[in-house]
Amino acid sequence: MIKNVTFEKTTYAEAPAKFEAGTPNIADAVGLRAALEYVQRIGLSNIAAHEHALTENATQQLSTIPGLRIIGTAKEKVSVISFVLDGHSTEEIGKALDQAGIAVRSGHHCAQPSLRRFGVETTVRPSFSLYNTHEEVDRMVDVVRRMARGIRI
């Protein structure tokens, strides 16, 4: 980013080089390698199977809650479920889940045209990954089930 430095004057390089930091991002390269090795040790197929099992478990349990509607039910989909619950805003559900230690997204997810196709403006959207557990799915479902029954969280 610097062409020349003296005690009297600094001359900057031409753009875009003058906006680059002087030290390469070594830490992120080392971290990326460690992450890739970790994923390789576990195996992509094992990760996919775990995420699929969590999604199936959550879908099955959520499907039993009266007033809950799952949005998007493709058989082969990523480990994400979108839903709405009669009588509750998606923000209210998201806040209750957050207070129970379950992180979800609630809102329009920058997907208004798709959501409107299903007749909704917002959804609650949990997503599942390698680090999630079936116990967390159970805790999420328990909170939503209590909300559906009108139990104050």
Side-chain angles (χ1 to χ4, degrees):
M1 74 186 268
I2 302 294
K3 192 179 260 184
N4 188 35
V5 175
T6 66
F7 284 109
E8 295 77 34
K9 181 179 178 183
T10 300
T11 306
Y12 294 96
E14 296 298 317
K18 73 178 182 178
F19 302 112
E20 296 176 358
T23 304
N25 189 358
I26 297 166
D28 282 357
V30 171
L32 176 60
R33 178 179 178 173
L36 291 171
E37 289 171 351
Y38 176 72
V39 167
Q40 285 178 330
R41 273 195 313 275
I42 295 170
L44 287 176
S45 61
N46 291 330
I47 294 170
H50 178 72
E51 291 176 355
H52 181 75
L54 291 171
T55 306
E56 288 294 312
N57 179 11
T59 300
Q60 187 279 321
Q61 289 194 65
L62 289 170
S63 296
T64 66
I65 299 175
L68 188 139
R69 178 180 168 211
I70 294 177
I71 307 297
T73 56
K75 292 199 183 296
E76 298 294 325
K77 66 179 201 165
V78 296
S79 54
V80 172
I81 300 172
S82 296
F83 69 88
V84 293
L85 180 63
D86 290 344
H88 298 278
S89 72
T90 57
E91 292 80 11
E92 177 186 7
I93 299 165
K95 182 177 179 184
L97 288 167
D98 178 60
Q99 291 172 340
I102 301 295
V104 298
R105 295 201 180 261
S106 62
H108 59 70
H109 319 296
C110 299
Q112 289 105 329
S114 295
L115 292 174
R116 289 176 184 143
R117 181 181 183 282
F118 290 101
V120 297
E121 288 294 320
T122 61
T123 64
V124 177
R125 191 183 72 191
S127 56
F128 309 100
S129 191
L130 170 63
Y131 47 78
N132 293 117
T133 66
H134 287 279
E135 291 77 20
E136 290 171 327
V137 169
D138 294 343
R139 193 163 69 236
M140 176 191 71
V141 171
D142 180 60
V143 169
V144 176
R145 184 172 281 124
R146 286 188 289 150
M147 291 184 79
R149 292 180 181 155
I151 298 171
R152 191 173 177 109
I153 308 297

